[in-house]
Amino acid sequence: MTRIYLSPPEVGPDERATLLEAFDSNWIAPAGPDIDAFEREVAERTGVEHAVALSSGTAALHLSLLLAGVEPGDEVLVPSFTFIASAAAATYVGARPVFVDCSPESWNLDPALAEEALLKGAARGRLPAAVITVDLYGETADYAALEALCVRFDVPLIEDSAEAVGSTHRGRAAGSFGAAGVFSFNGNKIITTSGGGMLVTANRGWAERARYLATQAREPFAHYEHVEVGYNYRLSNLLAALGRAQLRGLPSRMARRQQIDAAYREGLAGLPGISPMPRTAAGTPNYWLTCVLIDPATFGADREQVRLALEEADIESRPTWKPLHLQPAFSGIDLIGPGHCARIFERGLCLPTGSALTPADQARIIDIIGSQARA
Ligand SMILES: *Cc1c(COP(=O)(O)O)cnc(C)c1O
């Protein structure tokens, strides 16, 4: 039996053919027709005017903060319950993250606590220079509240939709909220270019500047002329071709992950002390990952024992994100909020959801989890 990974890529004949066509066209560069087409297709799907293909979601976050005008010494409001890239971008521009807790009802940034943080900042005469929201595990954050909050305090909102390609919120695509949205096409995301990302924005000026900064801030001269120092952040044309094929397969992959999510909910429903992550009424997620909370007293084993039992059978599962305010890299930065994210981290486990996971393999995963429960 081969190892079952958490969220492996699923590629097929369409990806292979599209990639080889790009290869044969000799557009083997961070420029080419597949990049232009991939950008158009992602922009269209997101319902946003502009998209800029980049080498990673992290690069897209970095450029977003530069576009938002975040400067050294500024503060950036970031949820604590997320992957480090959301906050690393703040560090890249010399800013300091302000970590805010999640709501236990959504696992996403709690608007009431974000408001508290903004009020505190306003009282000190020092508002954050940007708010980064995250659409965690494919669930969108509470944009009715968060958009209004950012408008009220006049702080640009950057939407980290790295995990939410394909998700929608009240009918609007994830990534389309705020001043800029960020997607990731890393290897374990719902669609992948092996590594890659996209910045989407309704602002033409921002899109042009993102493209400029991502190509070493090269000026339009025959020779290499630079007024500013930029970055080498463009996506390869080969990977854009791969991304186009993956994007075509996104609806079927989302449908498959939704089935997997439903099968976990059904298969684990009879066990004591284990509950699936919350789903919100306002969002239609892409079902990137299904996570569960395990209460050791009721379940009879803790999430680490369950993880190790799965590992024993060569099945990868992973604790939910370790909150950033608990990361040594950010020691000294406190959390605003009561610490819901820390409690979720202690009990939370992400289960395999790859779109190629077979029903038989998923049944085996559910059996192993059940075998750890109190009899
Ligand atoms: C994956 C991820 C990123 C970073 O994307 P890369 O393409 O890996 O750089 C950023 N934010 C979140 C929440 C992510 O899950």
Side-chain angles (χ1 to χ4, degrees), residues 262-276 366:
Y264 277 129
R265 276 164 201 266
E266 197 188 312
L268 300 172
L271 298 173
I274 186 165
S275 51
I366 291 168

Side-chain angles (χ1 to χ4, degrees), residues 150-295:
C150 288
V151 168
R152 183 175 132 209
F153 285 90
D154 195 24
V155 177
L157 189 160
I158 307 296
E159 185 185 1
D160 180 352
S161 269
E163 302 175 1
V165 176
S167 302
T168 56
H169 183 89
R170 294 179 208 272
R172 261 172 73 186
S176 71
F177 295 87
V182 166
F183 295 129
S184 167
F185 309 116
N186 203 341
N188 69 352
K189 296 291 176 11
I190 191 159
I191 58 169
T192 182
T193 59
S194 76
M198 193 83 77
L199 185 153
V200 294
T201 178
N203 185 322
R204 170 186 291 273
W206 277 31
E208 283 170 359
R209 182 149 173 87
R211 240 176 234 119
Y212 163 81
L213 288 174
T215 44
Q216 307 281 22
R218 188 179 172 193
E219 300 292 336
F221 290 92
H223 66 272
Y224 282 90
E225 178 80 13
H226 306 274
V227 178
E228 286 180 72
V229 176
Y231 305 89
N232 183 6
Y233 276 174
R234 277 297 252 173
L235 186 69
S236 150
N237 188 66
L238 289 181
L239 302 185
L242 181 54
R244 295 182 68 196
Q246 287 269 286
L247 194 63
R248 286 192 284 272
L250 178 60
S252 66
R253 286 174 175 85
M254 280 169 54
R256 178 67 194 120
R257 290 204 194 223
Q258 183 173 11
Q259 287 175 346
I260 291 168
D261 183 80
Y264 277 129
R265 276 164 201 266
E266 197 188 312
L268 300 172
L271 298 173
I274 186 165
S275 51
M277 62 192 281
R279 297 288 183 198
T280 65
T284 306
N286 63 0
Y287 298 94
W288 176 50
L289 289 185
T290 296
C291 311
V292 292
L293 286 180
I294 298 169
D295 172 10

